[in-house]
Amino acid sequence: MTVPPAPTPRTSAPDPAAPAPRTPAPDPAAPAPHTPAPDPAAPAPRTPAPDSAAPAPRTPAPAPAAPATASWPDLLDAATDDCLAALLAGAGQDWSRPAHDLDWTCRATLDHLALGLTGYTGLLVARPRDRYVTLFASLDPQAPVPACLEGLRIAASLLASTVRDSPPDARAWHPWGHSDPAGFAAMGITELVVHTYDVTRALGVAWTPRDGLAAAVLGRLFPDAPRGHGPADTLLWCTGRVPLPGLPRRAEWQWDGGVR
C-alpha cells in the first residue's frame, strides 16, 4: 500500500485591493537624539602596564631540516638559505682570520664557494667528458660581506635552476667521478655546509649542518660512510672536519660523484 503524500499547505495570495501599510513619516518637530560631548577634563583611560612577570613571547623555533625525500634543487635551496643566514650572523667579525683549519681566510673561503658553485653549473651545462669548463667566478674583492653573500646566493640559484632543468640522464665530468644533476646538487650542498662550518667556527658563530641535508648528501656522495652516528657529525667526519667515537679525524678525503 502506497501512502499518499501529505498535502502542501496553501498560502493565500495577497489581496491586490488591500491598501499598502503606511510607514509614518518622521516628525520634523521631534528633537534629535542628544549625544553628550566628551568632557575634556576627564582623565584619559589608562592602559595597564605589561605584567613584568608574564612570560616573554617565544621566538618560533627554526624550520625543521629539509627531508631527504625533497627534490635536489629544493635541498640546495634549503642549504643556501641556512648557510647564508649563519654566515650573515658573523658579518661584523674579522673575516681576514683563517677559516677553521684551512689555509684560506674566511673571506677567501667565500671566493672558493662562488667559484665552486658556478663551476658545477658550468659543468652541468656544457657536460664535458674530460675537463673543467673555462668559466670561473669570483666576488668583488672590495665588496662588504653581505654583498658577497648575495653573490653566493646568485651562484647557488644558478646551480639549482640548472639541476632543475637538466634531464636526469645528463652526465658531466668531475675529477671525483662523472656525475648527474643530483650529484652536482649534492656537491654544491657539501661545499656550502662544510665551508659554512669552517667559517662560522672561526668567527665564533655556533652552527652545524642540518641532519636532513647531511643525510641526503651522505647517501649520494659517501656510500661508505660509517653507520651509527648522527648525519651531521658523519658528514663532518667524511670531509675531514671532526673525529667520531672510535674513528680519528681523516687527514685525506674525497667524495664519490659517480652515478650508482
Side-chain angles (χ1 to χ4, degrees):
M1 177 179 178
T2 303
V3 179
T8 303
R10 296 179 58 188
T11 302
S12 58
D15 184 358
R22 295 179 58 192
T23 302
D27 183 0
H34 176 69
T35 303
D39 182 0
R46 295 180 58 194
T47 302
D51 183 0
S52 59
R58 295 180 59 190
T59 301
T69 54
S71 71
W72 280 105
D74 290 344
L75 289 169
L76 181 54
D77 288 340
T80 302
D81 290 342
D82 201 28
C83 291
L84 295 192
L87 294 171
L88 185 61
Q93 303 297 321
D94 178 12
W95 285 67
S96 66
R97 70 182 65 172
H100 179 63
D101 285 348
L102 297 181
D103 294 332
W104 303 322
T105 65
C106 293
R107 178 63 178 73
T109 304
L110 297 186
D111 286 322
H112 169 77
L113 276 172
L115 186 150
L117 294 170
T118 306
Y120 296 155
T121 303
L123 287 168
L124 195 51
V125 170
R127 302 174 196 170
R129 296 184 177 181
D130 56 359
R131 59 177 174 80
Y132 278 116
V133 293
T134 56
L135 173 67
F136 293 90
S138 61
L139 299 168
D140 181 354
Q142 304 303 318
V145 168
C148 292
L149 298 181
E150 176 189 67
L152 290 186
R153 183 174 294 280
I154 294 169
S157 297
L158 290 173
L159 178 57
S161 296
T162 303
V163 171
R164 189 174 284 113
D165 294 340
S166 298
D169 59 353
R171 299 290 184 270
W173 176 88
H174 186 275
W176 291 353
H178 283 64
S179 203
D180 58 356
F184 281 103
M187 294 178 206
I189 294 170
T190 303
E191 294 280 3
L192 279 166
V193 301
V194 166
H195 290 310
T196 295
Y197 176 82
D198 295 333
V199 172
T200 53
R201 288 273 292 178
L203 299 180
V205 176
W207 184 88
T208 54
R210 296 188 182 192
D211 279 338
L213 295 170
V217 168
L218 289 169
R220 180 59 184 81
L221 299 180
F222 299 94
D224 297 328
R227 309 296 179 184
H229 308 279
D233 290 339
T234 303
L235 179 59
L236 293 174
W237 179 85
C238 286
T239 54
R241 264 64 188 177
V242 299
L244 285 175
L247 296 171
R249 182 175 172 181
R250 302 177 86 177
E252 297 181 356
W253 63 273
Q254 71 177 48
W255 61 62
D256 179 4
V259 181
R260 288 173 289 281

